[in-house]
Amino acid sequence: MSDRVFPASKPAANSTAPPPPAKPPLRPPYRPQPHARRHHRPRRNYCCCCCFWTVLIVLILALLAAIAATALYVLYRPHRPSFSIPSLRTHRLNLTSSADSSSNHLATLFNLTVTSKNPNSHITFSYDPFVISALSSNDVFLGNGTVPGFFSDKKNQTVFKNVVVSGSSDLDTDSVTSLKSDLKKKSGVSLKIQLDTKVKVKLGKLKSKKVGIRVTCEGIKGEVPKGKSPSVATTDESKCKVDLRIKIWKFTF
């Protein structure tokens, strides 16, 4: 009896056969990415550059203006014009009140001299007409007048004599109380004279626009006249100062 040999397993597959194809990796779903806003940075740089150059130009112009002003001051030594009130006479200073003090009337008449000096050797002034106001020490309005416009040449002095300042008005209670206290003073009534005008300045070929000025003269002591003769005010200690009057919109500084 012959023996049969049975194989233990199936024959092994050929080792040289190619491997099965690999599956491609799964791609994630497409999600749109927001675009980066890179256009703001150039705009900011542009604004910074504009601000820098603007500030630089302003500083350069201010420096040039300061240099020019310094040069003009050194060369020409400009000074403000000076004013004075060498004499003042009071012809009338009457304050009358009704029996019940319901109405108070003030009548005034002054005669004064106004002097203007130009101390500069290279600068001239051209003045518009002046408006003169007489006030008490507490700014009670006493009267007004005018002085004609004039041209003040180099190193020149201009004198206006017999300038009339007068007023006739009704006063309120506060103004009457303030004025009566001034009239009772033994040293006399403290008067203040204001002159308002506009002036144009000329330096060589340079001409300025008209600028408002106010001249304020204080330290004048007047007295109420007795009889028909006017009283002479004391002006030895009077001083006048000149201030610019700059108007912006409706405000004056």
Side-chain angles (χ1 to χ4, degrees):
M1 185 175 181
S2 61
D3 295 333
R4 294 181 179 180
V5 180
F6 296 92
S9 59
K10 294 181 179 180
N14 191 4
S15 60
T16 61
K23 294 182 178 181
L26 297 177
R27 294 183 179 179
Y30 175 75
R31 293 180 182 179
Q33 299 294 329
H35 296 284
R37 299 181 178 180
R38 298 181 180 178
H39 57 279
H40 287 291
R41 187 171 297 175
R43 288 186 179 179
R44 291 179 180 177
N45 293 338
Y46 178 75
C47 293
C48 292
C49 290
C50 288
C51 293
F52 171 77
W53 285 109
T54 302
V55 173
L56 183 61
I57 291 173
V58 171
L59 292 177
I60 293 174
L61 292 177
L63 179 62
L64 293 176
I67 294 174
T70 304
L72 289 175
Y73 179 79
V74 172
L75 291 175
Y76 299 105
R77 296 286 180 178
H79 296 281
R80 293 186 180 186
S82 62
F83 292 81
S84 62
I85 308 292
S87 66
L88 186 147
R89 296 176 181 271
T90 304
H91 293 264
R92 188 186 308 121
L93 184 55
N94 298 333
L95 177 62
T96 57
S97 302
S98 60
D100 57 356
S101 299
S102 59
S103 63
N104 303 278
H105 188 76
L106 176 66
T108 60
L109 178 60
F110 304 96
N111 187 293
L112 51 92
T113 300
V114 179
T115 301
S116 172
K117 293 181 181 180
N118 181 5
N120 297 282
S121 302
H122 303 88
I123 301 175
T124 60
F125 301 98
S126 181
Y127 296 98
D128 284 356
F130 287 77
V131 176
I132 304 178
S133 301
L135 307 169
S136 69
S137 59
N138 295 319
D139 292 334
V140 177
F141 179 76
L142 303 178
N144 58 10
T146 59
V147 169
F150 63 96
F151 175 76
S152 183
D153 206 350
K154 308 165 189 176
K155 292 291 185 179
N156 185 40
Q157 175 175 307
T158 305
V159 181
F160 293 93
K161 296 182 178 180
N162 298 322
V163 178
V164 177
V165 176
S166 61
S168 178
S169 59
D170 295 325
L171 302 181
D172 55 25
T173 304
D174 294 337
S175 298
V176 170
T177 303
S178 174
L179 186 58
K180 283 183 177 180
S181 64
D182 285 343
L183 294 175
K184 292 179 182 179
K185 293 180 180 178
K186 294 182 180 181
S187 59
V189 182
S190 297
L191 301 176
K192 179 167 60 176
I193 304 297
Q194 288 183 348
L195 300 94
D196 292 293
T197 188
K198 290 184 178 182
V199 61
K200 183 183 294 184
V201 183
K202 183 179 180 182
L203 173 59
K205 295 183 179 180
L206 299 177
K207 294 182 180 180
S208 72
K209 294 183 178 180
K210 291 183 179 180
V211 180
I213 63 170
R214 167 171 286 184
V215 182
T216 304
C217 302
E218 296 181 306
I220 303 172
K221 298 291 184 178
E223 294 182 358
V224 179
K226 298 177 180 179
K228 297 182 179 181
S229 299
S231 63
V232 179
T234 304
T235 60
D236 296 339
E237 299 181 357
S238 64
K239 294 181 180 180
C240 300
K241 65 176 182 178
V242 181
D243 297 317
L244 293 177
R245 301 282 290 174
I246 301 174
K247 189 173 182 180
I248 301 177
W249 290 328
K250 297 181 180 180
F251 303 97
T252 303
F253 301 92

